[in-house]
Amino acid sequence: MDLHRPGRDDGHMSEDTPPVRLTRAQEGRLISGVCGGLGRYTGIDPVVWRVGFGVLVLASGWGILLYVVAALLMPNDPRLGAPIERLIRRRFDAGGVLTILGLLLGLGILVNLPQHGVATSLSIVAVLGLAVMVAQGRGISIGQIVRGIPERLQGHSAHDFPPPPPAPAASPAAPAAGRPVDTLPPGAVDLAALGQTLPDTYTTSYAAEVDDRVMDRVYGRRRPGAVLGKTTFYLALLAGCLMIPIFSGRPNDQILEIGASVALAVVAGGLLISTWYGRGRGLVVAGTLLSLTLVGTSVTSDAGLSGGRFGEVRWRPVDPAQAEQTYKMIAGDGRLDLTDLAMAPGQRVVVHAEVGAGRLRVKLPGTAQVELSASAGLGDVTVDHKVTSGPRAKVSQTLLPVTATPRPPVIELHLRGRIGDLEVSRDE
Amino acid sequence: MNDDQNRSWRHRFDPGSLIAGLFFLAVAVTHLLAVFGHVKISGTATVSALLGGLALVMIIRFLTRARRRDMP
């Protein structure tokens, strides 16, 4: 029995059919046979998969994680199972493995967007978009896969999926049992026979939908909504990507906002068309996601943290001219070390630092006089181990030099925090 | 070839799609104007407006869901 045959797994398997497994290739492998296995399953040349993984590795390193996860999820021998399957005692069919990889890819986009900017993230989006387009082109239903994500992530085998509604067994003119053929006029549908093929467990709405699909299959009709939805989606993707070269001179967050706005306008156009013609399947979901993306960028801009950084960030300026800037951090743990600042006697330097969520620690030279102005929306302000508790904690004071100096340099320090703590300490 | 095979879908006017389309178009245009500096929008106000608008769109789409069943 060939358990790793190439082909499509649409989640509709009969009870006698084993789930389609996605296995690593035994022959022609370069590393572990992941790309070979994906190529054999999807019918796409493994070179294309290797290029895709290469782009992801070069773009953000996310491709390495994806490759390792794929290697752990794809067994060498379908009878033995993959390492992860043996560990958690569950089995993933081909669709399940691809779903997990797709979700990881989506997570990679979200993680890379703030860290590496729009251009890097869009390269990952491009790979994801190409994968979706190829899948759609090969007749794989993305919507069906999305609906089955919870079951697939639980590692259910294809046997656990509900059986598909049976297709009409015969031509439109097929007669019901016990009825002569000539009682139906040519081209008519025997609804009694058609109804007998549907199980009783379907709810009314689902049965109606299934009935529509059966009728579509019988008459070979294609619903106009499917075309409109797909066309609008691809046009929105294209329009959004076109904004990158057009507005390449602008900051990354503005390019993201423009691209998302244009894509949203295209989605809105598709919805307006679907008011009178066709049906824009999935366009409301796409519009909602794009709107939320836009709001996210607006909130970031409104917080004054546009261009801010995430995670653990350290700044250690040396040149006073370069130190005079606004250090922005959206979320994470930031450290601003001003102890190496080469300041002349009497020189004045103005430094701004802002944090959205997290902690910001500032270390000051003991030889400088510091005019401090700090405010924390929801958090504490700590100056030389003296804590001013929030919410809306404000500290405004002058810190004299630790060692007496005739004309000490002056640091005018403005700190602003929204959710998190601000800490200021002197170099001993 | 009989008449059923030639018959196209009869699509009904769907107010839910109209409202959703106009709403998303308004969101897109507002953000574009904000990016190019023609209007100034507040982040918190945008969140409130968007969530309220999305809720309204979903309610209207729910109430008019029957219109989205194409009739053969």
Side-chain angles (χ1 to χ4, degrees):
Chain A
M1 184 181 296
D2 184 11
L3 293 176
H4 48 83
R5 66 190 180 281
R8 217 192 305 160
D9 173 24
D10 55 2
H12 285 171
M13 309 286 293
S14 72
E15 292 187 359
D16 297 331
T17 309
V20 178
R21 303 303 306 276
L22 183 56
T23 57
R24 282 182 269 156
Q26 302 294 322
E27 297 175 356
R29 55 166 62 179
L30 287 184
I31 303 175
S32 68
V34 166
C35 293
L38 286 169
R40 185 177 54 194
Y41 175 75
T42 58
I44 302 170
D45 196 300
V47 173
V48 177
W49 288 101
R50 288 178 187 128
V51 170
F53 273 108
V55 169
L56 293 178
V57 170
L58 293 175
S60 65
W62 201 257
I64 298 173
L65 174 71
L66 276 178
Y67 192 91
V68 170
V69 171
L72 292 174
L73 282 170
M74 293 167 63
N76 259 331
D77 185 342
R79 290 164 296 187
L80 296 177
I84 288 182
E85 291 176 331
R86 291 200 296 271
L87 187 68
I88 64 175
R89 298 175 186 276
R90 285 181 181 273
R91 294 244 167 168
F92 296 100
D93 61 354
V97 174
L98 291 177
T99 302
I100 292 172
L101 293 179
L103 289 176
L104 277 176
L105 192 56
L107 183 64
I109 295 169
L110 291 176
V111 170
N112 278 283
L113 190 60
Q115 283 188 342
H116 300 284
V118 175
T120 303
S121 300
L122 283 177
S123 63
I124 304 178
V125 171
V127 173
L128 183 63
L130 280 174
V132 170
M133 287 174 71
V134 168
Q136 291 276 17
R138 288 177 178 270
I140 296 173
S141 170
I142 301 297
Q144 195 172 40
I145 290 175
V146 170
R147 282 193 293 274
I149 282 178
E151 288 80 9
R152 290 186 185 280
L153 291 183
Q154 287 171 8
H156 291 176
S157 72
H159 293 295
D160 297 331
F161 299 157
S171 66
R179 295 178 61 181
V181 177
D182 55 0
T183 57
L184 291 174
V189 178
D190 189 342
L191 294 177
L194 202 60
Q196 286 173 1
T197 63
L198 295 174
D200 297 332
T201 52
Y202 291 122
T203 61
T204 307
S205 61
Y206 185 57
E209 189 178 344
V210 168
D211 191 42
D212 281 349
R213 290 177 188 166
V214 170
M215 298 298 270
D216 286 350
R217 205 177 304 163
V218 168
Y219 292 123
R221 293 185 301 215
R222 186 176 176 84
R223 285 176 176 251
V227 177
L228 180 64
K230 284 178 190 170
T231 307
T232 308
F233 176 75
Y234 293 141
L235 280 177
L237 191 66
L238 183 68
C241 291
L242 275 176
M243 296 302 115
I244 300 171
I246 294 174
F247 296 99
S248 58
R250 287 177 173 264
N252 282 342
D253 53 342
Q254 282 194 10
I255 297 175
L256 173 66
E257 210 161 349
I258 293 171
S261 297
V262 171
L264 183 60
V266 174
V267 168
L271 275 167
L272 290 177
I273 293 173
S274 74
T275 304
W276 291 278
Y277 174 76
R279 194 190 304 171
R281 290 175 186 275
L283 290 182
V284 170
V285 175
T288 304
L289 292 176
L290 285 168
S291 302
L292 292 175
T293 305
L294 284 171
V295 165
T297 55
S298 292
V299 170
T300 306
S301 302
D302 189 52
L305 297 171
S306 176
R309 298 172 65 177
F310 281 88
E312 192 168 336
V313 186
R314 292 170 186 267
W315 294 284
R316 196 167 188 166
V318 178
D319 186 3
Q322 292 179 350
E324 283 196 321
Q325 57 169 297
T326 302
Y327 300 91
K328 294 180 180 178
M329 201 178 67
I330 294 175
D333 187 3
R335 292 187 183 197
L336 175 58
D337 190 347
L338 300 175
T339 55
D340 289 340
L341 213 54
M343 297 175 67
Q347 185 178 6
R348 189 178 191 86
V349 174
V350 181
V351 177
H352 292 264
E354 299 173 359
V355 58
R359 184 168 61 165
L360 178 62
R361 287 178 277 186
V362 183
K363 198 168 185 181
L364 299 165
T367 55
Q369 176 176 313
V370 179
E371 296 176 5
L372 173 66
S373 169
S375 64
L378 197 62
D380 300 338
V381 178
T382 305
V383 181
D384 281 341
H385 307 293
K386 182 183 174 186
V387 180
T388 304
S389 298
R392 295 182 181 176
K394 284 188 179 178
V395 172
S396 182
Q397 68 179 91
T398 300
L399 305 175
L400 297 175
V402 177
T403 54
T405 312
R407 287 182 62 219
V410 179
I411 299 176
E412 190 179 325
L413 182 61
H414 299 273
L415 302 179
R416 185 183 173 201
R418 290 191 168 264
I419 305 171
D421 298 332
L422 303 173
E423 293 181 20
V424 178
S425 61
R426 304 293 293 264
D427 192 16
E428 300 296 337
Chain B
M1 185 173 287
N2 56 44
D3 292 340
D4 285 322
Q5 286 171 313
N6 292 327
R7 190 187 301 168
S8 60
W9 289 100
R10 184 168 64 84
H11 184 77
R12 291 186 288 180
F13 173 78
D14 178 20
S17 295
L18 178 66
I19 297 296
L22 289 176
F23 173 70
F24 288 136
L25 193 61
V27 172
V29 170
T30 305
H31 274 89
L32 279 175
L33 290 176
V35 169
F36 292 111
H38 297 296
V39 294
K40 183 169 176 59
I41 55 175
S42 159
T44 49
T46 309
V47 171
S48 308
L50 183 85
L51 293 180
L54 282 176
L56 185 66
V57 165
M58 295 306 169
I59 289 171
I60 292 174
R61 283 183 66 82
F62 177 76
L63 293 176
T64 60
R65 66 191 187 281
R67 307 284 304 180
R68 287 192 291 280
R69 275 212 66 202
D70 293 327
M71 304 301 289

